[in-house]
Structures are given as C-alpha cells and as structure tokens.
Amino acid sequence: MEIDDNMMQVDDGIDEISPMTLGHYYQNLFPHALYYKWLNYNGKLATTEFTHREFSFTIKDGIYLRYQSFKDSEEFQRELSRLSPSKIDIGAIFTAPPKHAKSLQPGVFKPVSKELVFDIDMTDYDEIRTCCQGGDICAKCWRFMTVAMHVVDRALREDFGFTKIMWAYSGRRGVHCWVCDERARKLDDAGRKAVAGYLSLIRGGAEQGKKVNLTQRSAQHPHIVRSLEIVEEYFEDVLLVDQEILLTRDRWTKVLNALPDEELRKTMDAQWSKRPDRSSVDKWSELIDAVDKRAAKKGSKFGLNTFERDIMLQMTYPRLDENVTTHVNHLLKSPFCIHPKTGRVCTPIAADQFDSFDPFAVPTLAQLLREVNEAPSQSGSVAKSTSMAPYIGVFEDFVSTVLPTPVNSQPSLDF
C-alpha cells in the first residue's frame, strides 16, 4: 500500500486528535483487511456476519451515529476515511442490515448474535487502589488488569472450552475481552448472564465490609481454587507492597471491616495505631497470625478460618462490568480505534503477554503520524513500519484462529 501523499504534509509536532489526523490514520494505518476478516468470519466474500453488523461512530462535535452497516470491506473503509470517527463501537449482528432499521416493521429488526464480551475498568478498583483514582493509571495499579486477564482467560478456556479469545487495551484505563467462538456468539441474553454470573465474585458497594461470601462447597469449585492460586501469586506484591493497603488507618480500616470479629478488629486497630509506620507486609503477617489464633479458639463457624482467603479474593479478583456482557445488543469499543482522552490506540494483547504488556508503551496517534512522516517512502503495509507493528502481529495471529479451515488443509479420512 502506498502512503497517502497528504500524510507527508502533517506537521511532525502535531498532537491534536482531529478529523484530519484521524483521517490519515484510517487511510494509512488502520488494519482494514485483518479487521474485515475478523468480523466477516469467512474469508473474502461478505457474509451477514459483516453486512448485518451494527457499527456506531462518534464523529466531530460528539455526534453519535448508530446503526451503521456496510456491504463490504471497501465501503467500510471509505466511510471510515470520510467520517474519521473519534470512536468506533461494535454492536450485534441483526436480522437485517442495521442501516435499514428505521424502514423495517416493528419486531422484524432483532439482534441475533455477537461476540461474548467483557469490560474491566480500573475505576471499579478505586476503593482498593491507593496510587491513582478515576481515569488515572500507573504501572502499580495496572497489575490489577494483569490479574484480571489471567483469571478470566483461564476460566473461559478451561471451564467453558472457548479458544478464540482476544484481549484488547481500552486505550486508557481498562481491558476488553472478545470471545469469538461460534457457540459464544450464539448465546442469548440468559446465557450471557449465566457466564457473567459465573465469573462474578465481588458483591456489595463501597460501604460494605465483606464482599466475598463463599459456602464450603462453592469454595471448592475448580474456578475458585484456580483463581485463588492466581491471586495468591500476586497479592503480596500488588496489594501489600505496591498499594500498601495497611499503611494508614483509613486504609487498614477497610480491611479490618471485613473481619467477622469486632473484638479482634478493635485489637488490631489499637495495635497498629501505636506503630502506624510499619509496612503493610508486617501488618498483614500480624493480622493473619492473630486471626489464626482467634479461629483456633472460636472455631470455624465464626468465619475467621476463611478470612485470609476471602479478603485476598475481595481485594484482587476481577471486577467485571456485567451489563456489558449480559446483553447481545450492547456496544463495545472497537480495537484499533483511538482513545479520545489519551490518543492511544486500542491495541490487542496476546495471552502470553499479560504480565509484560505496558499500556504506556502503546503508541499514540501523534507518535504514529510522526513515524510515518519520518519513514522513507515505501510500498506494502505502512503500519508494519511503525510502532503499531507488534500489535498488528498479535491481531494477525488471532484472526488466523477465527477463519474457517480451508478444505484442502483438513485431515484426510482415506484409509
């Protein structure tokens, strides 16, 4: 592919996200061919998987265009370049092309399928994380996303048998998961709600002390046992060292509120108040020793013997936005669009890169345009000559898993 001549005229120092800069991105860097292969699920010829798919675009001045649909990859590419949306959302596949929705009789236009999706946002950890709040993230709190991806990915693969899974960075403060197996795409709202419920463990608002309540039987479920193993691996480094959840009284109070023993809560609070400057690692060790001794005296019926397990899960287990998952027609931000707040590309994350993925290394629109300007003129993929290349590679590997297996590559049944 040749670089658009206008691309070379973009100011090297430009940082603005505008229709012009977005237009250059969609014309020269957006992975149209791979994107089409993914959402078409059937090679080159357009299927209803693509033609009946809803896209929504947010364009200049915040105008929101819903029920966009396209007959093929070429039309989609033309409209992206023409409209230069600041955001792309992907919706369901309907009984008819969504662009005809208003002309159809009531009840005819219905959603029939969509990828099973999950949204994990850092703001749902605001009551726990101490380094950042709101839309801000740092390397310390990003590790909550690392744990979340490990837990959810393994559950989807090992408990549900899904294999065609893509994770994506939201471009700012969270991650999205796209499960693309056919049986996942065919799930109705009830089925999606069941999966979301299976994966949800934290119950209760910010004012509730104890938010994990497991029965003796549910605690032995393979998903809980496996999740606890993952959580235990990260808990000390993430919660005690990075977040220092027991460093100050307002922080340790949140942990002590989950203790099912008021007398012990008061004892620990008084003990730590005398020496508040001790590390969270030391305080945690003291707390668990005190809980174990108390549990030995009072017995298991008081819930002390499960406190360590439950509080580790409460502080570290993934916090899903269930509403995103439970409805077939719920929209979710597309991979490879540009986040309007950060300018970063919403990039795929490989399953073997959960621990190494760095959201701050993800390229911005301004960075990519500068790289293209500085690169020598060339044919072929422009994106692969920029810092987008490794993310395109991850996407390419994923897309290869969702395409149908060619007939001539299937194993022979001849004897």
Side-chain angles (χ1 to χ4, degrees), residues 283-357:
K283 289 173 184 167
W284 177 258
S285 179
E286 291 172 356
L287 175 60
I288 298 307
D289 285 346
V291 167
D292 288 345
K293 290 176 182 177
R294 192 78 165 176
K297 290 181 179 179
K298 300 188 73 170
S300 61
K301 66 179 181 178
F302 290 94
L304 286 167
N305 60 328
T306 62
F307 169 78
E308 182 178 11
R309 176 201 70 195
D310 292 348
I311 197 65
M312 284 197 294
L313 288 169
Q314 179 171 316
M315 292 286 184
T316 322
Y317 188 87
R319 299 180 172 221
L320 306 177
D321 184 343
E322 292 185 52
N323 290 327
V324 173
T325 302
T326 54
H327 299 291
V328 177
N329 62 348
H330 199 292
L331 296 153
L332 185 62
K333 186 191 302 176
S334 169
F336 292 104
C337 66
I338 305 294
H339 196 288
K341 298 288 187 183
T342 64
R344 296 193 188 278
V345 184
C346 302
T347 54
I349 304 171
D352 62 356
Q353 295 173 0
F354 292 162
D355 289 279
S356 60
F357 181 80

Side-chain angles (χ1 to χ4, degrees), residues 124-277:
D124 290 322
Y125 294 80
D126 278 357
E127 63 174 320
I128 301 169
R129 60 182 181 146
T130 61
C131 52
C132 306
Q133 290 287 289
D136 295 331
I137 64 166
C138 68
K140 289 181 178 180
C141 57
W142 182 257
R143 298 182 75 187
F144 285 111
M145 296 296 107
T146 301
V147 176
M149 288 188 285
H150 276 298
V151 169
V152 175
D153 191 80
R154 287 192 59 185
L156 292 172
R157 295 179 191 277
E158 297 178 25
D159 299 344
F160 293 94
F162 297 134
T163 59
K164 301 173 182 180
I165 300 170
M166 177 175 66
W167 288 88
Y169 172 45
S170 72
R172 189 183 187 190
R173 62 179 184 233
V175 293
H176 301 152
C177 179
W178 299 79
V179 185
C180 302
D181 299 70
E182 184 175 5
R183 59 192 178 89
R185 305 198 314 263
K186 300 296 184 186
L187 286 171
D188 59 13
D189 284 357
R192 291 164 195 265
K193 185 176 182 179
V195 176
Y198 178 93
L199 293 172
S200 297
L201 189 60
I202 314 297
R203 301 294 181 190
E207 302 305 316
Q208 184 170 328
K210 193 173 189 300
K211 300 177 186 180
V212 171
N213 294 284
L214 297 170
T215 64
Q216 185 174 4
R217 181 177 180 182
S218 64
Q220 296 173 351
H221 190 281
H223 169 59
I224 300 299
V225 173
R226 181 181 59 243
S227 297
L228 184 60
E229 290 174 354
I230 296 171
V231 163
E232 286 175 335
E233 181 182 345
Y234 290 89
F235 181 78
E236 181 173 329
D237 284 345
V238 177
L239 276 300
L240 302 181
V241 177
D242 287 347
Q243 298 300 323
E244 283 277 14
I245 58 170
L246 302 176
L247 185 63
T248 61
R249 191 165 191 263
D250 61 323
R251 295 183 190 181
W252 73 57
T253 297
K254 294 178 182 179
V255 176
L256 294 181
N257 282 343
L259 263 176
D261 187 304
E262 184 177 0
E263 184 179 345
L264 185 55
R265 285 200 300 269
K266 292 180 178 179
T267 299
M268 298 310 301
D269 180 60
Q271 181 176 322
W272 291 344
S273 294
K274 291 177 182 177
R275 297 186 60 191
D277 57 336

Side-chain angles (χ1 to χ4, degrees), residues 335-386:
F336 292 104
C337 66
I338 305 294
H339 196 288
K341 298 288 187 183
T342 64
R344 296 193 188 278
V345 184
C346 302
T347 54
I349 304 171
D352 62 356
Q353 295 173 0
F354 292 162
D355 289 279
S356 60
F357 181 80
D358 179 3
F360 299 104
V362 172
T364 64
L365 174 59
Q367 175 186 343
L368 291 170
L369 296 185
R370 285 193 294 271
E371 289 174 2
V372 173
N373 283 336
E374 295 165 359
S377 181
Q378 61 177 302
S379 60
S381 173
V382 177
K384 288 189 175 181
S385 68
T386 70

